[in-house]
Amino acid sequence: MTLGMAASQLLAEAPARAATPADYVPHVVAWNLTRRCNLECAHCYISAGPEEGATDELATEECVRIADEILALNPAPLFILSGGEPLLRPDLAAIARHASRRGATVVVGTNGTRLTDERVAELVDAGVTGFAVSVDSLEPRHHDNFRHGSGALVATTEALERLRRHRVDFVIQTTVTKGNRRELGSLVAWAAEQGAVCFNAYFLVPTGRGARLSDLSAADYEAVLAELVTYHREYLGRMMVRAKCAPHFMRLVHATLPDSPMLNYETRCPCGVQYCRITPDGKVTPCPYLPAVAGDLRGEAFASVWRDSELFRSLRSGELGGRCGRCEYRGLCGGCRARAFADTGDPLAEDPGCVYEPSGSPVIEPKRPVTYGAQVERRLPWSAGAEERLRKIPSFVRGVVIHRLEEYAMKHGHAEVTVELMTEVRRAMPVDFSKRLPFFADRD
């Protein structure tokens, strides 16, 4: 299961209330396990590369302890294990196995060049349910130069074939730059042909080596986001297409595709609120692209950092500044907090990557009340087998899945949610990311 592989249905309505600490749950943790990498990509936010060593990396035992501390706060988080290149850590499978067996959904972010059949099989056996693979151009010269690795595109493409053979879900991730801007449509089509369940278009945040690159202008952002909306519409039902680190994508989706299933979810940037990043040496930051440190897990418990960090408290309760604070779309978008921090040093400042000027209209509320990781009141009994499958769903989409299944059950005259009904729903759904959720699968 990867980010975006979620059933597209609305959450049950809940009365408005003031947020409490219980609302701030670490649903998704991006974990940079190493700065070592066999490539040296021009945009790398962590400045990984072949010259980096393992000296300061968290040991296996430390990773296990931290995973357990996170699981104590949330028994069903999503862990995104990445790097650098996480496959350079010989204990990657051991960390994944420990986390997955205790209830986490585990996916791996990789450049793909080291995904041999043996490593894929090892990681799947350890409980890894999906991979995010980076491809920045379909032109080998451009991709390989951008990533400083001869033959990288060929090696990554061969890795995708291995993932297909092993029947493992994967996401294609592309950072949109001036160099590949004109390839975007071809990259999306290629990702669909490869069998990706999702195409993520990342928008550069100037941090790490990415700070050296000349980014797209705000006007270019707007044009690219509008193009992505057309691809989102075109591929819906086959592959999810979305923007990352550009929440103003949701403004365009809301304006042009008001019935998009993407609007069924919390769309504002979750960094420091429901999401965080762990660095190779154990620091906690709000997200991979916002390097301000909230705490150090070598000296503090995860729960203490998560609950008590002044940085996290500010992100959860502070007022957005500038245009973001005045914008009628602030409930749907809210701007990228990492880009605001990179530009001003203030994570609550306005997002400089957005050209939209607030109109002064009332705040636009989501068409359906949605909350990231919300609990949903059950309306039907569930069989023991169905409950067991539900426990395999990451917490951040579980409420959506419950509602989707119960809506289907009631519509078709079922009095209980069972494993058989889950299979029925799986067969009735279009072939898209929705049916790729682990609990829909016939295998355990």
Side-chain angles (χ1 to χ4, degrees), residues 241-314:
V241 176
R242 61 182 183 171
K244 302 289 285 184
C245 301
H248 37 306
F249 178 61
M250 301 314 303
R251 167 173 51 82
L252 298 176
V253 171
H254 179 269
T256 59
L257 292 173
D259 293 324
S260 168
M262 195 176 292
L263 295 171
N264 293 335
Y265 303 93
E266 181 67 55
T267 57
R268 283 187 53 157
C269 174
C271 76
V273 179
Q274 313 287 354
Y275 173 65
C276 68
R277 182 269 295 257
I278 300 172
T279 67
D281 57 351
K283 305 296 192 302
V284 181
T285 77
C287 88
Y289 307 98
L290 205 170
V293 175
D296 186 344
L297 298 180
R298 279 186 159 144
E300 304 170 79
F302 182 87
S304 175
V305 175
W306 181 258
R307 291 171 176 161
D308 301 331
S309 161
E310 288 299 323
L311 176 59
F312 285 171
R313 288 185 175 185
S314 175

Side-chain angles (χ1 to χ4, degrees), residues 21 46 65 82 94 96 101 113 118 124 145 147 155 185 189 202 222 238 257 265 317 328 348 351 387 397 412 417 420:
I46 201 170
R65 171 183 60 78
S82 65
R101 287 185 175 177
T113 59
E118 293 74 20
V124 170
N145 285 345
R147 292 190 166 262
Y202 275 82
E222 193 78 359
R238 180 182 178 189
L257 292 173
Y265 303 93
S317 60
E328 65 270 27
L348 295 175
D351 182 347
E387 288 282 3
V397 293
H412 293 83
V417 177
E420 291 74 22

Side-chain angles (χ1 to χ4, degrees), residues 95-254:
I95 295 168
R97 180 175 289 105
H98 179 87
S100 65
R101 287 185 175 177
R102 282 159 177 75
T105 295
V106 180
V107 299
V108 170
T110 174
N111 62 44
T113 59
R114 291 176 171 261
L115 266 181
T116 63
D117 277 310
E118 293 74 20
R119 291 306 297 275
V120 173
E122 175 191 38
L123 291 168
V124 170
D125 180 68
V128 172
T129 58
F131 292 81
V133 181
S134 299
V135 177
D136 295 297
S137 175
L138 299 179
E139 299 175 11
R141 181 178 177 183
H142 179 79
H143 177 89
D144 293 0
N145 285 345
F146 190 74
R147 292 190 166 262
H148 290 196
S150 178
L153 180 60
V154 170
T156 298
T157 303
E158 290 173 350
L160 298 181
E161 173 58 31
R162 296 184 189 105
L163 292 174
R164 287 194 296 271
R165 284 203 306 268
H166 287 268
R167 300 181 64 192
V168 184
D169 289 340
F170 61 88
V171 167
I172 297 295
Q173 310 207 121
T174 296
T175 298
V176 183
T177 65
K178 292 178 179 178
N180 65 6
R181 164 72 182 85
R182 296 183 183 279
E183 278 194 85
L184 187 57
S186 298
L187 282 160
V188 174
W190 179 82
E193 291 166 4
Q194 296 296 308
V197 297
C198 184
F199 178 87
N200 286 331
Y202 275 82
F203 287 77
L204 185 70
V205 176
T207 185
R209 276 198 297 273
R212 306 174 190 170
L213 296 182
S214 177
D215 198 7
L216 299 170
S217 69
D220 289 333
Y221 270 47
E222 193 78 359
V224 175
L225 291 172
E227 185 178 341
L228 284 170
V229 172
T230 66
Y231 301 140
H232 172 64
R233 179 197 296 116
E234 179 181 351
Y235 289 92
L236 193 61
R238 180 182 178 189
M239 178 182 74
M240 174 63 84
V241 176
R242 61 182 183 171
K244 302 289 285 184
C245 301
H248 37 306
F249 178 61
M250 301 314 303
R251 167 173 51 82
L252 298 176
V253 171
H254 179 269

